[in-house]
Structure formats: C-alpha cells, structure tokens
Amino acid sequence: MRLLKRLHWGDWLILAVLLSGAIFFAFQTAETLNYKWRWHLIPNYILGWHTRRQEWFANLLLQGLAVTVRISICASLLAVLLGVILGLARTSRNLTVRLLARTYVELLRNIPPVVVVFIFFFFLSQPLIEALGLERWARGIARSENNAVWVFVFGDMRLFPQLVAGTIVLALFESAFVGEIVRAGIQAVPNGQREAARSIGMNYWQEMRYIVLPQAIRKVIPPLANQFISLIKDSSIVSLISVQELTFKTLELVASTRLIFEAWLTCAGFYFLICFGLSQLFSRLEE
C-alpha cells in the first residue's frame, strides 16, 4: 500500500504502456504466428510429482536454476580472489607485473565472451580436469551411498566435471572486470595516506593491509555487487560447453515440448527474480 501511494501519474502511465505491450505481444503471437499458449504445462517442468515414489521432485527448470545458483556462487568467489590479485598487480610498483596484469585484462575485456568461453574450456579447464582426475573422482562419489552432502552442495556428482569447467571459465572471464574494479578502488585512496604509511616505516604489504585495502573495500563493494549480478546473467554463456544450467535446461525443454514462448519467458522470469532480489539486497547492504 505504501508503494502504491508513492507512485506518480508518470509511473502509472509507464505501467499501462508495459501492460499494453504485453497484451499486444500475446495477441500477435496467438493470431499472427498461430501459436497456442500452454502455460498450464510449465509448473510441472518446475516441480514435478513422482507417481511411483509419491513425492515431489525438482524438474528441468528447477534443476537448471540450482546449477545456475551453484556456478554463480563458486565463480564469483573465484573471480573475486583472482580479481583482487589482478587489482594488486595492476597497481604494483613492478613494471613487468603491471604489464602482465594489463595484458590479461585487456585481452579478456576486448574479446567476445563466447570466444573466451571456448578458448578457456578447450585449452585450460578441460585439460586441468583430466590432469587432476576429477571425472573419475566424481563418479566414485556418485556411486557411494554417503554422498548427500556432496549432492546438496554440488548437485549431481556425475556432472561435477562440467560444473568445475563452467566455474573456471566464467571466473577467468569475470576476474578481468573485477580486477579493474579493485584497481580503481585502490587508486581512489589518496596518495597522501600512502605516503604517510611509508613515512612511519610501513612496507608495501603493511601499507596495503592496514591503510589502502580497508578504504578501497568500501569503495568497491557497490560495483562488485553489480558485477556479481552481471555474472549471474553471463552464466548462461556456459550452456555452450554443455553445462546444464538454466539456459541449457530451457533449450532441452523447448526441444522436447515445443513450449517455446512459455519456456523462455519462464527462464527470463527466473533470471529476473534472482537479479532483482540481489539488487535489492545489495541496496540494503550499501545503506
């Protein structure tokens, strides 16, 4: 009710335009494309009922959503770790370190993400998974009986190698942007404070730990939050390397049922709910 009272006539006009557009889209789809809407089938592909076991189970879309959440959390943690290292390297006093970090950042920022995903998947993550024997290890966990914790954290352990590959690829791509955010936060700290730290005998790492980074963290949290939301949307790219996240599962659903508009609109709705909810949470945290 409080929100409705705060709406201006312009807000109502925008809502009316959006509603009219949605109605027009539905009408055009039904009349021009001769498309028959079947929304009543979608809930069953989110949460299904197993008649033999007499229990509910997560169906295609909910399975994909769970993988998207898992890969987004893991990739964001790894991207932040790599991004902090890149940010420190970008502000290092060593010219070679700065040039190497800048080369990494500029390459990833100026190459299409689809190309980056394929390059890192075939040349880095896939050989790494094979070298570490993760596929054999994950299959052993999947066959064991006491794997409830592993399944809860990582999902189907038979798909664990794909999850690791997607996490590595996504984290490496996003770390370039996180690194630039960290660099900007470090450079936003006034030079006078760094000079004061050196004047009392602090070395570089003490200066960073006690003076620069505590102030930089406050500056980088808002853009990092936005980057995390962007990472969730970018996670759809890893469907190209057969990571069974939300977009991949939506493609499977469309191919098997021909629920084209219903499936993709539901997929978009899931992404919107996650990203909008996180944006509201981060706004509260910033306050």
Side-chain angles (χ1 to χ4, degrees), residues 25 35 37 39 42 61 236 239 245-255 258-271:
F25 172 76
Y35 186 81
W37 293 90
W39 280 107
I42 289 295
L61 293 176
S236 61
S239 63
E245 44 74 66
L246 182 56
T247 302
F248 187 92
K249 290 294 188 180
T250 304
L251 284 168
E252 282 190 346
L253 179 59
V254 170
R258 309 304 299 172
L259 295 171
I260 301 172
F261 292 108
E262 296 92 337
W264 284 116
L265 288 174
T266 304
C267 175
F270 277 132
Y271 278 115

Side-chain angles (χ1 to χ4, degrees), residues 199-263:
S199 69
I200 60 174
M202 285 188 178
N203 58 33
Y204 175 79
W205 296 111
Q206 289 174 329
E207 171 191 325
M208 282 292 173
R209 178 181 176 185
Y210 297 110
I211 305 298
V212 177
L213 289 181
Q215 297 180 70
I217 287 173
R218 295 173 61 89
K219 299 178 185 295
V220 303
I221 283 178
L224 278 180
N226 291 332
Q227 191 62 36
F228 178 57
I229 293 173
S230 177
L231 184 147
I232 293 173
K233 294 181 289 184
D234 290 341
S235 67
S236 61
I237 301 173
V238 298
S239 63
L240 297 172
I241 55 175
S242 300
V243 179
Q244 299 189 14
E245 44 74 66
L246 182 56
T247 302
F248 187 92
K249 290 294 188 180
T250 304
L251 284 168
E252 282 190 346
L253 179 59
V254 170
S256 61
T257 64
R258 309 304 299 172
L259 295 171
I260 301 172
F261 292 108
E262 296 92 337

Side-chain angles (χ1 to χ4, degrees), residues 17-82:
V17 171
L18 291 175
L19 182 60
S20 302
I23 295 173
F24 177 76
F25 172 76
F27 178 77
Q28 285 292 100
T29 304
E31 294 296 325
T32 306
L33 300 180
N34 194 25
Y35 186 81
K36 183 178 179 181
W37 293 90
R38 294 177 291 168
W39 280 107
H40 62 284
L41 298 177
I42 289 295
N44 186 54
Y45 291 103
I46 299 174
L47 199 63
W49 174 255
H50 201 292
T51 53
R52 185 169 59 85
R53 294 189 224 166
Q54 293 293 301
E55 63 181 10
W56 295 97
F57 67 96
N59 213 337
L60 282 176
L61 293 176
L62 199 57
Q63 292 171 9
L65 180 63
V67 175
T68 294
V69 172
R70 289 188 182 103
I71 200 170
S72 297
I73 293 173
C74 295
S76 63
L77 294 175
L78 184 56
V80 168
L81 176 62
L82 295 175

Side-chain angles (χ1 to χ4, degrees), residues 114-127:
V114 174
V115 179
V116 173
V117 165
F118 280 115
I119 290 175
F120 276 114
F121 175 70
F122 289 110
F123 290 98
L124 184 63
S125 63
Q126 193 67 15

